[in-house]
Structures are given as C-alpha cells and as structure tokens.
Amino acid sequence: MKKLTAVVLAILLVAMVAVGCSGTAEPSASADPSKAAESSESAAQPAEDAGKVWKIGISTQSWEHEFLKNMVNALQAIDESMPDVELVIVDSEDSVEKQLNDVDTLIAQGVDGIILNADSVEGSSQAVVAAKNAGIPLVELVSLTENEDYDTFVGTDVKASGLLAGEMVADMLGGKGKVFEIQGVMGHSAQINRGAGIAETLEKYPDIELVESQSGEFTKDKAMSVTEAWLAKYPAGEIDAIIAHNDGMALGAMNACISANRPEIKIIGIDGDAEALQAVIDGTMAATVVDDVETESKLAVEEMVSILNGNEPKGKILAEYMPVKTAEEAKVWLEKRQ
Amino acid sequence: MMAFGGNKEGALSGQKNFKQYLRSYALVIIFLGVCAVFAIASPTFLQPTNIVGVFRQIAINGVLALGMTLVIITGGIDLSVGSLMAITGVVSAMILENNPNMLAVALIVGIGAAALMSMWTAVLVAKMRIAAFIASLSTMTIARGVALVVADGIPHTIKDTAYSEIGNGYLWDPAATGGVGFPVLVLILIVVAVITAVILYNTKFGRYIYAVGGNENAAEASGVNVVKVKFWTYVLNGALCGVAGMMLAARITSGQPNAATGYELDAITAVIIGGTSMAGGSGKISGTIIGALIIGVLNNGLVLLGVSSYYQQIIKGIIIAVAVLLDMKTKKGN
C-alpha cells in the first residue's frame, strides 16, 4: 500500500514538473529565459530604456472565442518582438471570479502592470481596485469596466461596430427590408453596445423592419438553432438579412440558411474571424466588420510600456473598425490572421 | 522481559499506526505534494499574500462543496447550485438598488430565495422520488431562467460598500500587518465548515443523512423519516448556495444573472477528490475542504507557472482521476 502511494505520488510529481517545464516553454509563459539575452541586446538600440524588461500580466476573456484567440496570438507575437516586455497571459475562462483571482495572483507574482480584457463591465471592476491598491498601472483592452480608475482604455467604440453593421445592411437592402438580429450573451457589454448601434442605425430607415431579436449567446450552435426556428416560422421572402453580434453566430446562421436552402438571406457578422472572412470570399456571408484586435493589442502593450517609463497615461485610445464587404478585402485580412 | 515485550508491542502498533496514518492522510499527502511542486517551481507560491490569496480563492467553491457534501452523502447530487447562486446575487443586488440601507434584509431575502428555489429539487427528489440528477437539472434551468427574468437579463451593480467588503475586505487592515490580512470570505468558509461539521457529526439529522445514503430501505425500516431527511438536506444545501451566491456577488460587486455558470462541477470535483463516495453513505467535511484546497492550489500554481490554460484543464482532469484512484485504493486497504 505504501509502495502504491509512493509510486502514484512520484508519478504525480514528475508529471507536474514536466508539465510545469513544458508550460514555461510556451510563448505565453512567464519565465522566458531568452528575454534576458534580448534585453541586453536591446541596450544597443537607442530607443530602449536601459534594457529594463517590464513584466506585464494580462488577464483575458475565454480563449475559446476566436476573437480572443486572435488577441492572444497577437499578444504572443508582441511578446516575442518587443525586447523590453515580458507578457504573462492568463485565461479567465469567462469566469469573473477566476479573473479577479488571476489578477490577485499576477500581482502577488510581482508584475509591473496589468492589462485587463474585462469579463464583465460590473464584475471585473474589483480587478481595477486590486491593481490600484498594489500601486501598479492598469490598461484595459477591448472591454471596459464600470470602475473608471484604470489608466488607459485601448479598444474600439463598440457601438460603432453596430452602427457600421447596421449601415452595411441598410446599404445592401437598398433601405428596405426585414432584418433579424442575433444578440450576444444578454448583459455582455458587446451585446448591449452592438445592439444599440444596430438599433440606432436601422431606426433611420423607416422601410427597414427589425422583426425579431434573439440571443445566440455568442455561440455558433445556439445561433444556428435560433435561425432554424426563424426559417421555419418565416417563409422565403420574409427574411432579408440577419445581423449577428459576432462572426461565430453569423456562421451558425449561415449554416442554417444553407441547409434550409435560403441563400437569398444576407448574413452580416462582426469581428472578422478567419472562417467568416473565408465565407465572405466564398460569397456565403454578405459582410463582416473587422475588429482590428492585432492593432489594439499592440497599442495596449505600447501604452503600458509608455506609462511604466514614466509618461502620462493617455486615458483613451480608440482603433477604427474595418468594413469587409468584398472578397478582395476579406483576403487581405485572412492572410493577416493565418 | 515484560518491559521488553511491552516495547515490542509498542513498536508494532507504532508501525500499524503509521500505515493507518498514511491511509487516512493520503489526501493530505497529495495536497502537500502538489504544494511542494509549486513551492519549488515558483518563488511566489509560498509568499504570505499568495497563500492568503489561495484561501480566499477557494472560499466560494468551498462553501458550495460543503453543501454538496451533505447532498452527496444522502446518495444524491445537486446540479442547480450555480443557478441558485445567481438568484441570490441578483435578488440581493436589486433589493439594495431600490433600498440602499437594507443590507441585512437584502442578504436574508437573497439567501432565502435560493433556499426556496431549492425546494423544487427537494420535493421532486424526496417526495416524487425523481432521480436527483434529473430533478436538479430541472431546477438548474428554472433557477437560471428566474435569475434572468428577475434581473431583466442585465447585471446589477452593488454600490453598498459593506456588501462588497464581504467579498473583498479583510478582518483587519492588511497594511497594518505587513500586507497580509484575514479575508472575510475565508471567515465565512470556516464558519460554514464548522456548522456543517456540527450538523453532520453531532446531530441526529446528521446521522440520518449518513443512514439514508448508506441504505435507504434499512434507514426507513429503522424509523428514519427518509423523505424529511432528504427534503431538508436539499433545502440546507440551497441555503448554503445562497451564502455562496452572496459571497460571489460581494466579490464581483454585482448581481449577475449569468454568474456562477458551471460552478456545480467545481463543487462536485472538490467533494469527489475529498473522498466522499458518489454512492452515498460516506464522506467527511475535512476531505471536502482539502479537495477544494487542491483545486485552488492547482488553479493558483498553474497560473503562477504560466501554464497555458489549455494544458491546465488536462492537468486538473488527471489530478481528479489520480486523487480518486488513490483514495479508493487506500480505502480498500483499510
């Protein structure tokens, strides 16, 4: 019995250590031994601040979402290309409690600053308090918190994506038609603001009717079943366009329309996921609004470094949304994201 | 000779004790083993602020797991705990929104709402004899819907500082004690652990919980009111979910209808790692606390080591299997 305990424990420990090591070899890992070398090299570059490597903790929403995966990829690329930063990127798995715990853990670890991609407008506010109590700067990336004690917000005016998507729909329909909306997770800031933008635009067109809005909870399969229900309820000609609050849901709607043989329905998404860009190239999706998360991530890290180097925080840095309506435009973005 | 013989016997029983010790503390050994690995791998792990952080991080799941322990000992399960937590958060936040000075009322009504909702499961399981998995699945869906309806789908911010202190405050000022405070959340966990231990070990109700889970028919035959025991176990669990829901709402300073999704799995995991049998009839409060600690330490340590979240899930899954296997083996040895 004792032997068994010992053997199992030994396996456990070896496994833990092994995984720990392989973990640190990951690009997202905290301990990146190459950084030390890089930073000494960087002393040769005049722009660098005496070779100081800033350790920046980043807490994000769940990496299950492709938009977040694009963000994480972009951040990992920045980690490799910028010699004066070391990024520790942590996945909150969409749990606000885990996000707050992770930020505490990052602070305990002694990071120089926190970049927060907030899970919840209200709930993640406590992370801002934690960073403030620890006396380190906090930059918010893409999503905002209610607590405005952060140093700088880098992202987009989320409502602008809704406005842009709404304009594209109105344009495609020639200002007349029946539009359906698939919303994100109810209460999510993207759902609230994108929805507000879409509603605001469509209200300007008296001949466009927003027939139904349902939540697809930001998932493809839920959006697909919502769309299937609509397709059963509304015969051909009663649905002109479907706007989804993200590309994943737009793709779900697209699949439902393809299986039901309703190709006349125009489908518009937001984010610029690889699969959605491909769908625009293939002509199965009408358009998407690209959220340029690569640029936003870079701006956020650069702003954090600037603050750490003693510069005044800029408070707010906004990036523009990019409409993608043609195969050519989609190809440009697809190459960037692969 | 007598003395020698006595010594020999003492040595023998000492050896036996050591074996027994090893068996009964297999969980503690796993826990310390995991801690040792992280302590070696990360200099931050053993720092006081981080240790306090880990305890705070397990507090909510710990309370949830304690309630779940009672339910699982009766041979049941409760999948609705996350949804019940959301109800408490939403109800208490909304009461405070309209009546800013009624914190106590908000908390009592919020926790009461969760307990009330859990009666749905309690009736279905105890009276209607529906399988607990199915009954609580029904409650899980209904309660989530209720939370969304009550909250109108949106989060409600808690502006009351006393409420948010429950989730983020300390018993004494951390600055005064060199950066380490005693989180209120941890105090609540300790109180709940003591209460559940007293109920389980020192009351008739507690003995009936074991009896019902061990052999329902035998318990019935020996005069235990099985329906009543099951009913109140689920309601008690519902009230504890309410307490956990209050803790979460305080921590995230808002009542969110979509909060605590998937929390039932972490709670069940802590109970299982803690050595409570899914078949019912056996289980310990201390085991559940260590189970919750193992999960908390894993979460914390893997973040400290910068392990990618994809690998984290694989590791956690393996640890669950290893812990349960080890526990089964040691129990068989006994």
Side-chain angles (χ1 to χ4, degrees):
Chain A
M1 195 58 252
K2 240 191 293 180
K3 262 187 210 156
L4 176 84
T5 315
V7 168
V8 174
L9 270 179
I11 293 171
L12 190 74
L13 295 190
V14 170
M16 297 289 306
V17 172
V19 174
C21 293
S22 74
T24 46
E26 287 279 299
S28 65
S30 57
D32 191 345
S34 62
K35 280 295 171 197
E38 278 175 27
S39 64
S40 58
E41 280 164 26
S42 72
Q45 298 169 16
E48 298 304 329
D49 182 37
K52 167 84 173 144
V53 176
W54 298 110
K55 190 168 177 179
I56 301 167
I58 304 177
S59 172
T60 70
Q61 296 171 21
S62 173
W63 299 1
E64 283 170 12
H65 312 300
E66 186 176 335
F67 177 76
L68 261 292
K69 194 59 201 157
N70 287 337
M71 178 196 282
V72 172
N73 287 343
L75 287 167
Q76 286 173 346
I78 293 165
D79 186 44
E80 276 162 32
S81 66
M82 285 176 75
D84 54 344
V85 295
E86 179 192 333
L87 304 182
V88 188
I89 313 165
V90 184
D91 180 357
S92 73
E93 294 163 26
D94 278 353
S95 156
V96 188
E97 192 200 353
K98 184 170 188 311
Q99 178 156 65
L100 297 181
N101 292 342
D102 288 345
V103 168
D104 284 350
T105 305
L106 288 168
I107 291 171
Q109 208 177 344
V111 295
D112 297 303
I114 299 275
I115 293 178
L116 181 72
N117 169 231
D119 268 328
S120 151
V121 180
E122 299 80 9
S124 300
S125 287
Q126 204 57 39
V128 181
V129 177
K132 205 177 180 196
N133 287 344
I136 59 173
L138 183 133
V139 168
E140 301 202 339
L141 175 57
V142 173
S143 52
L144 274 163
T145 59
E146 200 173 50
N147 185 329
E148 290 178 346
D149 278 343
Y150 52 82
D151 290 280
T152 300
F153 167 72
V154 181
T156 49
D157 175 5
V158 183
K159 199 174 152 191
S161 63
L163 292 169
L164 196 54
E167 283 300 341
M168 287 202 292
V169 170
D171 193 40
M172 280 173 199
L173 299 181
K176 188 177 185 319
K178 293 187 166 63
V179 177
F180 290 69
E181 180 191 27
I182 305 180
Q183 300 169 308
V185 172
M186 300 306 287
H188 191 288
S189 68
Q191 177 264 324
I192 296 169
N193 292 306
R194 286 177 179 172
I198 291 166
E200 192 177 312
T201 319
L202 296 186
E203 267 168 25
K204 287 192 290 188
Y205 298 89
D207 292 335
I208 289 184
E209 186 192 350
L210 185 57
V211 185
E212 272 200 46
S213 295
Q214 286 271 346
S215 174
E217 292 168 12
F218 284 133
T219 62
K220 201 173 181 173
D221 50 339
K222 189 80 208 289
M224 197 164 159
S225 48
V226 165
T227 309
E228 279 161 355
W230 283 342
L231 293 174
K233 190 169 159 192
Y234 300 94
E238 300 225 346
I239 304 178
D240 294 313
I242 297 175
I243 309 185
H245 285 188
N246 75 356
D247 273 342
M249 296 195 296
L251 289 164
M254 180 191 88
N255 286 346
C257 290
I258 290 173
S259 344
N261 199 19
R262 305 270 290 264
E264 80 283 0
I265 298 171
K266 294 187 165 35
I267 293 160
I268 292 96
I270 298 174
D271 282 347
D273 290 354
E275 211 182 327
L277 292 168
Q278 188 61 51
V280 173
I281 295 170
D282 296 343
T284 45
M285 241 175 88
T288 181
V289 177
V290 171
D291 189 336
D292 187 0
V293 70
E294 289 82 1
T295 302
E296 290 158 48
S297 303
K298 192 150 177 40
L299 287 170
V301 176
E302 284 171 353
E303 168 69 359
M304 176 57 79
V305 171
S306 154
I307 295 169
L308 289 170
N309 283 333
N311 298 313
E312 195 64 25
K314 292 183 186 68
K316 197 178 201 180
I317 302 173
L318 291 183
E320 290 289 323
Y321 281 102
M322 304 290 168
V324 172
K325 285 187 279 192
T326 65
E328 288 72 36
E329 288 169 335
K331 270 181 193 145
V332 174
W333 281 101
L334 192 58
E335 274 164 27
K336 204 170 168 181
R337 292 196 164 166
Q338 271 173 346
Chain B
M1 285 305 281
M2 284 289 283
F4 184 63
N7 273 346
K8 202 177 167 191
E9 206 178 292
L12 268 178
S13 75
Q15 214 172 32
K16 210 173 170 187
N17 278 342
F18 180 71
K19 266 191 177 175
Q20 271 178 345
Y21 183 85
L22 201 69
R23 278 174 193 152
S24 45
Y25 290 94
L27 259 180
V28 180
I29 295 168
I30 297 180
F31 172 62
L32 293 178
V34 173
C35 286
V37 171
F38 287 133
I40 295 165
S42 164
T44 311
F45 184 73
L46 285 182
Q47 275 171 19
T49 42
N50 192 57
I51 292 175
V52 171
V54 170
F55 276 98
R56 180 158 83 174
Q57 290 168 21
I58 70 148
I60 295 172
N61 185 39
V63 168
L64 216 51
L66 287 168
M68 188 69 82
T69 306
L70 303 183
V71 170
I72 290 180
I73 290 176
T74 67
I77 190 102
D78 193 343
L79 301 179
S80 69
V81 295
S83 303
L84 296 176
M85 286 173 71
I87 288 190
T88 304
V90 165
V91 167
S92 58
M94 290 181 76
I95 291 176
L96 275 177
E97 227 169 35
N98 299 321
N99 313 282
N101 294 320
M102 295 173 73
L103 179 60
V105 173
L107 295 184
I108 291 166
V109 174
I111 293 169
L116 195 68
M117 189 69 234
S118 70
M119 286 184 187
W120 180 258
T121 318
V123 168
L124 288 181
V125 173
K127 272 268 184 207
M128 313 290 181
R129 299 189 161 267
I130 293 181
F133 188 93
I134 299 162
S136 62
L137 197 60
S138 153
T139 316
M140 176 183 178
T141 314
I142 296 174
R144 184 66 65 187
V146 168
L148 282 162
V149 168
V150 170
D152 199 20
I154 57 165
H156 293 263
T157 305
I158 292 166
K159 297 211 166 67
D160 189 297
T161 48
Y163 197 166
S164 69
E165 278 295 293
I166 295 174
N168 300 292
Y170 295 88
L171 284 192
W172 53 81
D173 188 13
T177 54
V180 184
F182 194 93
V184 179
L185 283 183
V186 179
L187 176 75
I188 298 176
L189 173 63
I190 292 170
V191 170
V192 170
V194 169
I195 292 174
T196 46
V198 167
I199 290 176
L200 203 51
Y201 304 143
N202 297 333
T203 66
K204 217 195 270 178
F205 180 60
R207 285 194 296 279
Y208 288 170
I209 287 179
Y210 281 109
V212 166
N215 186 334
E216 204 175 311
N217 294 333
E220 185 90 70
S222 52
V224 175
N225 188 337
V226 173
V227 172
K228 207 167 148 186
V229 170
K230 280 191 175 176
F231 181 88
W232 287 110
T233 307
Y234 280 94
V235 175
L236 177 61
N237 179 50
L240 290 178
C241 293
V243 173
M246 168 195 82
M247 293 160 81
L248 179 65
R251 177 84 169 118
I252 65 178
T253 55
S254 54
Q256 307 203 352
N258 54 5
T261 312
Y263 275 38
E264 59 281 352
L265 292 181
D266 265 351
I268 294 169
T269 307
V271 178
I272 294 172
I273 292 181
T276 298
S277 159
M278 288 298 280
S282 74
K284 278 195 291 193
I285 295 296
S286 58
T288 297
I289 292 288
I290 295 174
L293 271 171
I294 289 176
I295 298 175
V297 163
L298 276 176
N299 280 333
N300 176 264
L302 293 175
V303 169
L304 282 180
L305 293 187
V307 177
S308 148
S309 74
Y310 302 145
Y311 288 104
Q312 286 190 26
Q313 307 199 11
I314 297 172
I315 296 168
K316 275 190 243 171
I318 293 172
I319 298 271
I320 294 169
V322 169
V324 172
L325 271 177
L326 194 61
D327 196 54
M328 270 167 51
K329 289 275 183 196
T330 49
K331 270 185 186 151
K332 228 182 258 169
N334 261 340

